[in-house]
Amino acid sequence: MSALLYYIHDPMCSWCWGFSPVWKQIQQHLPKTVNVQTVMGGLAPDSDEPMPPEMQEYIKGNWARIQQAIPDTEFNYDFWEKCQPRRSTYPACRAVLAAKKQGIEYDALMTDAIQRGYYLEAKNPSDNDVLISLAGKIGLDATVFAQDLESKNIQSLLEQDLRLYQQLAVSTGVAGFPSLALKTESGLTEVPRNYIDASATLDFIKEHITSA
């Protein structure tokens, strides 16, 4: 029987960036009966206000903690000098949804482009011009993307994802990003994640789809 694996994330979530190599491995080795649905969790709503210095220091500290916890995770700290940080991740979430509108394969491609732009190239994905540039680089129609990025339709899709995340949180107890939830005939359950080893998560999923 088929199952559905929800991956709840935000493209500007630093723990999601640390988890991304393991997440790719999980997807590569999932049983064929398991379908994946990505869900934009939305860390921070739209804001034009500069990020307060104390928040900047907290996030920089979080990057350092991730580098200690997940070996080989890279961050370009030049971001904090080159950019005007804002606590606003909804634009990046909308960008993934707008990219996906041009083809399901662009879901992962846009997420990866945002993460690399942010964490490795010191670009600010809170800015639409950065997102439009990234869209062009991965082969999207940048003109269509720019229109979709600010459309009511994409905003509506984001709101649907935010509601779905809240429903999954109530049903399974998932909290924060990244999170995984598995839906089988037996119901919904939170899937444990390991930031270094994909096998434990894969074993959990296989066990639950077998027993469902």
Side-chain angles (χ1 to χ4, degrees):
M1 301 299 292
S2 62
L4 182 60
L5 179 65
Y6 294 102
Y7 176 56
I8 307 153
H9 72 109
D10 185 300
M12 290 182 69
C13 160
S14 46
W15 283 101
C16 296
W17 168 238
F19 186 63
S20 60
V22 166
W23 173 233
K24 289 172 184 175
Q25 292 175 38
I26 290 170
Q27 293 177 91
Q28 289 169 359
H29 295 95
L30 276 176
K32 293 182 180 179
T33 54
V34 180
N35 297 311
V36 173
Q37 181 176 336
T38 58
V39 181
M40 294 293 109
L43 265 175
D46 296 305
S47 174
D48 291 326
E49 294 297 318
M51 187 183 296
E54 58 271 21
M55 176 64 75
Q56 294 188 39
E57 291 304 315
Y58 171 78
I59 295 176
K60 280 190 275 188
N62 204 39
W63 288 9
R65 286 188 289 274
I66 291 167
Q67 288 180 297
Q68 290 181 341
I70 311 172
D72 301 322
T73 305
E74 294 183 47
F75 292 99
N76 186 344
Y77 289 83
D78 289 347
F79 170 83
W80 303 101
E81 303 299 329
K82 291 183 176 180
C83 298
Q84 175 66 72
R86 304 197 315 279
R87 185 63 171 162
S88 181
T89 71
Y90 280 21
C93 292
R94 283 193 292 267
V96 174
L97 295 170
K100 188 177 177 181
K101 191 168 176 283
Q102 294 191 39
I104 188 66
E105 68 275 16
Y106 290 111
D107 184 330
L109 288 172
M110 192 66 193
T111 298
D112 187 65
I114 291 169
Q115 290 176 329
R116 290 181 176 277
Y118 181 23
Y119 296 116
L120 301 181
E121 300 167 11
K123 296 177 180 177
N124 191 351
S126 297
D127 296 335
N128 281 0
D129 60 342
V130 170
L131 296 167
I132 293 166
S133 174
L134 293 173
K137 288 180 180 179
I138 65 170
L140 289 166
D141 184 319
T143 301
V144 172
F145 174 86
Q147 293 171 347
D148 288 335
L149 189 58
E150 296 188 332
S151 70
K152 291 182 179 179
N153 177 50
I154 293 301
Q155 177 61 25
S156 176
L157 291 176
L158 175 58
E159 291 169 2
Q160 288 178 32
D161 270 14
L162 298 178
R163 287 193 296 270
L164 177 56
Y165 167 49
Q166 292 302 321
Q167 291 166 4
L168 292 170
V170 170
S171 300
T172 68
V174 296
F177 316 120
S179 288
L180 295 164
L182 183 67
K183 183 178 182 180
T184 67
E185 282 193 333
S186 299
L188 273 163
T189 184
E190 181 179 8
V191 178
R193 59 194 182 278
N194 185 307
Y195 287 90
I196 297 173
D197 182 11
S199 61
T201 300
L202 285 164
D203 289 346
F204 181 93
I205 291 169
K206 292 172 183 176
E207 178 183 342
H208 277 70
I209 63 174
T210 300
S211 61

